[in-house]
């Protein structure tokens, strides 16, 4: 942090969302020159075109550049320099950077706020590192399923659902058994693409049951109601 106006500050702690250790470990310096001491590669962010041509990278290219630098020297220090929230980096500060990074946002809204710019660049750096170390960039299917708290629907439960769906469509006169027009085949294709979970099939069958009751004119007593 280069000459921050408010540090430490309670607002920063509350916005850190559990990353207090990063705030506590931040190094505070008086000048950019002091912050860049010992750095092998310095990359500065900018949303504006500059009169003097400068090596320009997008966030993904910048992440690759950082990785290549680390490959050549594991002890190398690399700096990503972000400017002020309201004005970014000055021309003089950008001239201290070997590379400029430009996030290709909408030209009419090219200036991103500081937090967004940091998030974009750190995301690309993380993805580059995962690729380099051959780590998965997505959550394993088993873990993802476990987090959802449900398992995939079985073939048997899906077939019962399709039978229930067909019967309901017949009862509400949406499906004519004499002229089905491949409706059920099309619906199977729609639901098949969704890879329904067990709990989702239960929800859909509950909807079908209530639809059948309504079509038959059955009165449904809600909890707490008296007939």
């Amino acid at each position: 942090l280069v000459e921050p106006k408010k540090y430490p500050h309670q607002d920063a702690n509350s916005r850190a969302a559990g990353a207090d250790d990063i705030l506590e470990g931040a190094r505070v310096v008086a000048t950019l020159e002091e912050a860049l001491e010992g750095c092998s590669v310095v990359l500065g962010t900018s949303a504006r075109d500059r009169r003097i041509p400068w090596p320009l990278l997008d966030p993904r290219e910048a992440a690759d550049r950082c990785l290549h630098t680390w490959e050549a020297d594991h002890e190398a220090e690399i700096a990503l320099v972000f400017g002020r929230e309201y004005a970014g980096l000055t021309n003089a500060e950008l001239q201290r950077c070997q590379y400029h990074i430009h996030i290709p946002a909408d030209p009419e809204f090219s200036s991103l706020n500081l937090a967004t710019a940091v998030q974009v660049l750190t995301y690309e750096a993380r993805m580059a590192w995962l690729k380099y170390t051959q780590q998965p960039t997505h959550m394993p299917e088993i873990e993802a399923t476990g987090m959802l708290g449900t398992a995939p629907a079985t073939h048997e439960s899906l077939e019962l659902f399709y039978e229930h769906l067909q019967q309901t469509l017949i009862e509400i006169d949406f499906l004519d058994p004499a002229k089905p027009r491949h409706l059920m085949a099309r619906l199977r294709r729609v639901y098949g693409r969704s890879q329904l979970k067990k709990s989702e099939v239960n929800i859909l069958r509950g909807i079908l049951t209530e639809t059948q009751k309504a079509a038959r004119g059955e009165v449904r007593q809600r909890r707490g109601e008296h007939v």
Side-chain angles (χ1 to χ4, degrees):
L1 297 175
V2 179
E3 201 176 10
K5 287 186 176 181
K6 298 179 180 180
Y7 180 84
H9 195 274
Q10 183 57 40
D11 287 348
N13 292 333
S14 61
R15 293 176 182 177
D20 294 343
D21 57 321
I22 295 178
L23 282 177
E24 293 170 0
R27 185 166 66 97
V28 179
V29 296
T31 64
L32 180 59
E33 288 79 3
E34 185 180 351
L36 298 180
E37 286 180 3
C39 290
S40 301
V41 174
V42 180
L43 306 95
T45 56
S46 175
R48 295 172 289 169
D49 293 331
R50 304 292 169 172
R51 294 181 179 179
I52 302 176
W54 217 269
L56 188 64
L57 305 173
D58 65 32
R60 195 156 299 174
E61 293 169 335
D64 288 338
R65 173 58 57 186
C66 293
L67 187 58
H68 293 329
T69 301
W70 179 85
E71 281 184 295
D73 180 5
H74 287 9
E75 300 299 323
E77 293 194 17
I78 302 167
L80 293 177
V81 184
F82 299 90
R84 302 153 192 82
E85 182 76 63
Y86 62 90
L89 295 170
T90 65
N91 288 336
E93 290 165 342
L94 280 167
Q95 289 174 13
R96 287 170 170 75
C97 305
Q98 291 119 315
Y99 300 92
H100 292 174
I101 305 173
H102 177 73
I103 299 174
D106 188 324
E108 295 186 10
F109 304 95
S110 60
S111 181
L112 303 179
N113 63 45
L114 177 58
T116 301
V118 172
Q119 189 172 30
V120 169
L121 292 188
T122 52
Y123 168 80
E124 291 294 348
R126 175 64 175 168
M127 293 298 288
W129 176 253
L130 291 176
K131 181 179 180 181
Y132 175 77
T133 56
Q134 298 182 338
Q135 297 183 58
T137 57
H138 60 277
M139 185 180 297
E141 181 66 25
I142 295 177
E143 183 179 349
T145 301
M147 288 186 65
L148 290 174
T150 184
T154 64
H155 172 74
E156 293 80 6
S157 65
L158 286 173
E159 288 304 312
L160 289 173
F161 162 68
Y162 290 130
E163 291 177 12
H164 195 173
L165 176 61
Q166 178 173 314
Q167 183 59 39
T168 303
L169 295 177
I170 292 173
E171 289 186 25
I172 63 175
D173 294 326
F174 190 85
L175 171 61
D176 183 356
K179 298 178 181 179
R181 300 179 182 275
H182 305 292
L183 177 61
M184 289 307 301
R186 292 189 173 96
L187 289 174
R188 279 175 174 268
R189 186 169 58 188
V190 169
Y191 286 111
R193 288 198 301 266
S194 302
Q195 297 183 331
L196 293 171
K197 308 299 182 184
K198 181 179 179 181
S199 62
E200 294 169 338
V201 170
N202 291 337
I203 292 172
L204 290 171
R205 293 202 64 182
I207 294 172
L208 293 176
T209 297
E210 294 303 319
T211 301
Q212 288 176 308
K213 290 180 180 179
R216 297 166 187 166
E218 297 179 11
V219 178
R220 179 174 181 266
Q221 183 176 350
R222 298 181 182 277
R223 185 178 300 176
E225 291 182 345
H226 299 283
V227 178

